[in-house]
Amino acid sequence: MATQRIAENGLGKAGTSKRAANASTAHAERRNGTTAVRENILDAALRLFARQGFSGTTSSALAREAGIAEATMFRHFRSKDEILLALLRKVKGSLLYRVECSLAPFAEGSGLDRVLTAVGVYYELASSPLPEFSVLFRDVLTRRQGNGIEEAARLEVRDAYDALSSLLEKALDAGKLDGSIRADVPGRESAGMLLGAVVGMARAVHFGFVDKASRMENILREFCLSALASRALERTGPESSSTARML
């Protein structure tokens, strides 16, 4: 009898474990399904927001682009503003990763070389059809509705801007230490000015005010050389900078 009870208890425990495993699997499948739907919505938002702006994209158009019902979309996100905020957080990481990978091969160069490379990389990304940059810098910073989501979205964009500016500031500081950049150049302010110039020019290209085929990138980099290069570099000539030789 005791042996039978032990066997039955064993079977019961095995059955309970099996049910728990099945429930865990079902939960994981539902979670994965939810994640897949959310990612699909964010991918659709990236395409539409980059192409026609946040304000120019209706909720119905976004659901249609994602291939789902509008009601389904709002089961995953409470509003279009919430979709924007989630998208900004996602593309900010993606954009910064691209920039860091592009700059990594030049990490051992002089500070001036790193600044010139960063300006070139930023401009290329900003003026290309890269949707991440368009979403971050196209129209979010011009929207001022005053609600919590709006402010959170602006903070995400500010965080991306600060991260890009910080990379420039570090290169400027390195240049002042290695002698390739003038010692009196203010790092933070110069980094902000350079990034602002790149973003402004890229927006002009984006809206068709300026032809992308123009020499704007080279002009900006030539300006960097004349404004930042140390007196020693000026005496030896700009060709002593490896990045300058590519201009």
Side-chain angles (χ1 to χ4, degrees):
M1 195 67 148
T3 303
Q4 183 179 356
R5 282 198 300 273
I6 291 172
E8 288 173 350
N9 286 339
L11 288 173
K13 290 177 180 177
T16 300
S17 298
K18 186 174 181 180
R19 285 194 296 273
N22 289 340
S24 178
T25 300
H27 177 70
E29 289 175 348
R30 285 195 298 271
R31 186 174 64 246
N32 291 339
T34 297
T35 300
V37 174
R38 285 177 64 90
E39 288 299 311
N40 181 45
I41 293 169
L42 293 178
D43 288 344
L46 177 61
R47 292 190 296 272
L48 290 186
F49 292 172
R51 187 163 65 239
Q52 55 200 47
F54 176 84
S55 300
T57 301
T58 64
S59 298
S60 58
L62 182 52
R64 189 163 54 249
E65 179 75 11
I68 58 176
E70 195 170 349
T72 301
M73 182 175 73
F74 286 127
R75 281 202 295 271
H76 294 273
F77 296 97
R78 288 174 294 182
S79 66
K80 194 176 74 163
D81 279 333
E82 191 173 273
I83 293 172
L84 173 65
L85 183 57
L87 180 62
L88 288 174
R89 288 170 176 161
K90 178 181 178 180
V91 302
K92 177 183 70 177
S94 174
L95 180 65
L96 293 177
Y97 178 75
R98 287 176 187 237
V99 168
E100 288 170 354
C101 288
S102 297
L103 296 180
F106 304 93
E108 301 304 317
S110 72
L112 181 59
D113 283 339
R114 287 163 56 188
V115 169
L116 295 174
T117 300
V119 167
V121 168
Y122 289 4
Y123 183 81
E124 186 59 34
L125 289 174
S127 58
S128 71
L130 190 68
E132 286 89 345
F133 201 98
S134 293
V135 167
L136 279 171
F137 295 113
R138 178 176 177 173
D139 63 355
V140 171
L141 292 178
T142 62
R143 302 176 65 242
R144 297 179 179 274
Q145 295 181 10
N147 61 50
I149 291 288
E150 288 289 337
E151 182 58 26
R154 290 175 61 81
L155 289 175
E156 290 296 330
V157 177
R158 177 62 186 266
D159 191 41
Y161 193 94
D162 287 347
L164 293 173
S165 183
S166 177
L167 290 173
L168 274 172
E169 185 180 354
K170 289 177 182 176
L172 287 162
D173 289 343
K176 289 192 286 185
L177 288 175
D178 66 30
S180 60
I181 291 176
R182 292 189 356 244
D184 62 342
V185 170
R188 178 169 299 181
E189 293 81 357
S190 298
M193 182 194 71
L194 289 173
L195 182 57
V198 171
V199 172
M201 290 195 311
R203 285 170 64 88
V205 170
H206 183 88
F207 289 113
F209 301 153
V210 175
D211 184 0
K212 185 181 185 301
S214 70
R215 295 185 64 249
M216 289 183 67
E217 179 188 355
N218 282 350
I219 291 170
L220 178 59
R221 293 171 70 176
E222 288 165 2
F223 169 79
C224 290
L225 270 176
S226 62
L228 303 175
S230 67
R231 298 290 179 252
L233 185 62
E234 288 177 356
R235 286 194 296 270
T236 57
E239 65 277 1
S240 60
S241 169
S242 59
T243 305
R245 289 197 296 271
M246 297 188 297
L247 288 174

